Amino acid sequence: MSEPSVLASLVSGLRGGSIEVVDLTSPLSSSTPVIQLPAEFGQTAVFELEEISRYDDRGPAWYWNNFRSGEHTGTHFDAPNHWVTGKDLDDVASVPARRLVAPAAVLDFTAEAAEDPDFLVEVDHVKAWETENGPLPDGGWLLLRTGWDARAHSQEAFVNADENGPHTPGLSPECARWVAQESPVIGLGVETVGTDAGRGHAFDPAFPCHSYLMGSDKYGLTQLRNLALLPATGCVVIAGPLPIVTGSGAPARVMALVERS
C-alpha cells in the first residue's frame, strides 16, 4: 500500500484537528482602525458597505453589497511598489502565489511593549531569539507580537497618538535594514496599524520598515491578531491579498497552520 501523499496528510490533519487553522485577520468594518497621516497628505478610506439589495424589490432572492476601502485598511498586505524604494518592483497582483504560503517565526515582545509603547526591536533582540529558537525561516515571515491587537476595538487606543504623534512599537531603523537586507525572511508581520513604529516618521530614513523592506522586494502584513496562539517556530502562514492590478497592497485574509499534539 502506497504512503499517503503530503496533501492527503494535510487534509487528514485539518479534519482530525492535529493541524489547527488560526485566523490572524482583524474583522473588516467601518470601525476598523486606520492609519492617520498629517493633514497635508492624502488619507486612506475607512471601510464602507453600500447595500445593493437584501431579499427585497432590488433583488428578491439575494443579498449583496458594494464596498469602499483603502488598499491599506485593516489587515492588509504591502507590496513592494507601495514605497518609492520599490516603485519598479511588483504590484500586489504580481506577487508570486508561491510566496503567499510560507513558514513563520513569532517573536514575542508583549511585556516590553506594555511597559513602553515606543519600544523598538533591535538586531540583538532578534539574534538572541535565534540563539534560543534557531535561525529565522528562509523565505518565511518574521511576525512581531506586541499585544497591540488588544487595542483594535478603538481607533484612539490603536493609533495611540498625542501632540508628538503616534506611539506604537516596532523595529529600530538598523533592525529594519537588517531584516530587509541581511535576514532570509520575505517579510514582516505586525499587530499595529503599519509595519513601522509610531515614531517611524522621525527616523532616518523615515518609515524605515517600508523603505528597506519594499526596496528589497519584501512584503509587509499589518493589523494581525491572535499571534498569541502561534508557537515561536513551526507554523505556516497563508496570506491572501486581493490581486488588484497595479495596486500597492490589498486587504488580506491571513491564516496560520499550526500542528497540535
Side-chain angles (χ1 to χ4, degrees), residues 43-91:
Q43 306 293 326
T44 192
V46 298
F47 182 83
E48 298 177 1
L49 277 183
E50 176 194 10
E51 188 174 276
I52 302 172
S53 68
R54 194 177 182 116
Y55 328 120
D56 53 30
D57 291 343
R58 299 168 298 169
W62 51 91
Y63 165 56
W64 56 342
N65 303 286
N66 293 318
F67 69 85
R68 180 175 185 265
S69 177
E71 294 175 331
H72 300 267
T73 296
T75 301
H76 64 270
F77 185 101
D78 291 346
N81 73 332
H82 175 43
W83 214 250
V84 64
T85 52
K87 64 184 179 66
D88 296 321
L89 300 176
D90 281 347
D91 62 39

Side-chain angles (χ1 to χ4, degrees), residues 123-136:
V123 176
D124 285 347
H125 289 120
V126 181
K127 291 188 174 180
W129 182 93
E130 288 185 303
T131 298
E132 183 175 347
N133 297 280
L136 296 176

Side-chain angles (χ1 to χ4, degrees), residues 81-125:
N81 73 332
H82 175 43
W83 214 250
V84 64
T85 52
K87 64 184 179 66
D88 296 321
L89 300 176
D90 281 347
D91 62 39
V92 70
S94 302
V95 173
R98 60 180 173 76
R99 301 192 86 187
L100 300 177
V101 182
V106 183
L107 282 63
D108 184 5
F109 296 101
T110 303
E112 291 86 345
E115 185 174 331
D116 177 11
D118 287 319
F119 173 75
L120 298 178
V121 178
E122 303 288 352
V123 176
D124 285 347
H125 289 120

Side-chain angles (χ1 to χ4, degrees), residues 29 48 61 66 90 142 155 176 216 225 255:
S29 72
E48 298 177 1
N66 293 318
D90 281 347
L142 189 163
Q155 169 78 23
S216 298
R225 60 171 54 191
M255 298 170 286

Side-chain angles (χ1 to χ4, degrees), residues 16-31:
S18 62
I19 299 175
E20 179 184 0
V21 180
V22 179
D23 196 346
L24 307 183
T25 314
S26 298
L28 190 55
S29 72
S30 60
S31 62

Side-chain angles (χ1 to χ4, degrees), residues 2-260:
S2 62
E3 292 292 323
S5 71
V6 173
L7 290 179
S9 297
L10 173 62
V11 171
S12 177
L14 291 169
R15 288 178 174 173
S18 62
I19 299 175
E20 179 184 0
V21 180
V22 179
D23 196 346
L24 307 183
T25 314
S26 298
L28 190 55
S29 72
S30 60
S31 62
T32 297
V34 296
I35 195 168
Q36 295 176 324
L37 298 180
E40 64 267 27
F41 297 118
Q43 306 293 326
T44 192
V46 298
F47 182 83
E48 298 177 1
L49 277 183
E50 176 194 10
E51 188 174 276
I52 302 172
S53 68
R54 194 177 182 116
Y55 328 120
D56 53 30
D57 291 343
R58 299 168 298 169
W62 51 91
Y63 165 56
W64 56 342
N65 303 286
N66 293 318
F67 69 85
R68 180 175 185 265
S69 177
E71 294 175 331
H72 300 267
T73 296
T75 301
H76 64 270
F77 185 101
D78 291 346
N81 73 332
H82 175 43
W83 214 250
V84 64
T85 52
K87 64 184 179 66
D88 296 321
L89 300 176
D90 281 347
D91 62 39
V92 70
S94 302
V95 173
R98 60 180 173 76
R99 301 192 86 187
L100 300 177
V101 182
V106 183
L107 282 63
D108 184 5
F109 296 101
T110 303
E112 291 86 345
E115 185 174 331
D116 177 11
D118 287 319
F119 173 75
L120 298 178
V121 178
E122 303 288 352
V123 176
D124 285 347
H125 289 120
V126 181
K127 291 188 174 180
W129 182 93
E130 288 185 303
T131 298
E132 183 175 347
N133 297 280
L136 296 176
D138 190 5
W141 289 94
L142 189 163
L143 303 183
L144 184 62
R145 182 185 166 209
T146 57
W148 214 256
D149 56 339
R151 296 170 174 254
H153 64 284
S154 164
Q155 169 78 23
E156 182 178 81
F158 200 71
V159 175
N160 196 37
D162 60 18
E163 65 277 6
N164 297 313
H167 298 277
T168 60
L171 303 187
S172 73
E174 174 55 23
C175 190
R177 186 204 64 77
W178 183 86
V179 169
Q181 298 178 359
E182 298 186 35
S183 86
V185 300
I186 60 168
L188 171 69
V190 300
E191 297 168 328
T192 47
V193 74
T195 53
D196 274 291
R199 294 183 291 157
H201 64 283
F203 293 161
D204 184 17
F207 304 104
C209 286
H210 283 81
S211 182
Y212 288 128
L213 285 167
M214 309 295 99
S216 298
D217 199 23
K218 294 188 176 183
Y219 315 122
L221 288 173
T222 74
Q223 287 185 247
L224 301 175
R225 60 171 54 191
N226 295 326
L227 296 186
L229 301 179
L230 305 184
T233 64
C235 72
V236 173
V237 167
I238 303 170
L242 298 173
I244 301 170
V245 176
T246 76
S248 69
R253 189 72 180 262
V254 184
M255 298 170 286
L257 303 182
V258 181
E259 287 192 79
R260 304 298 190 194

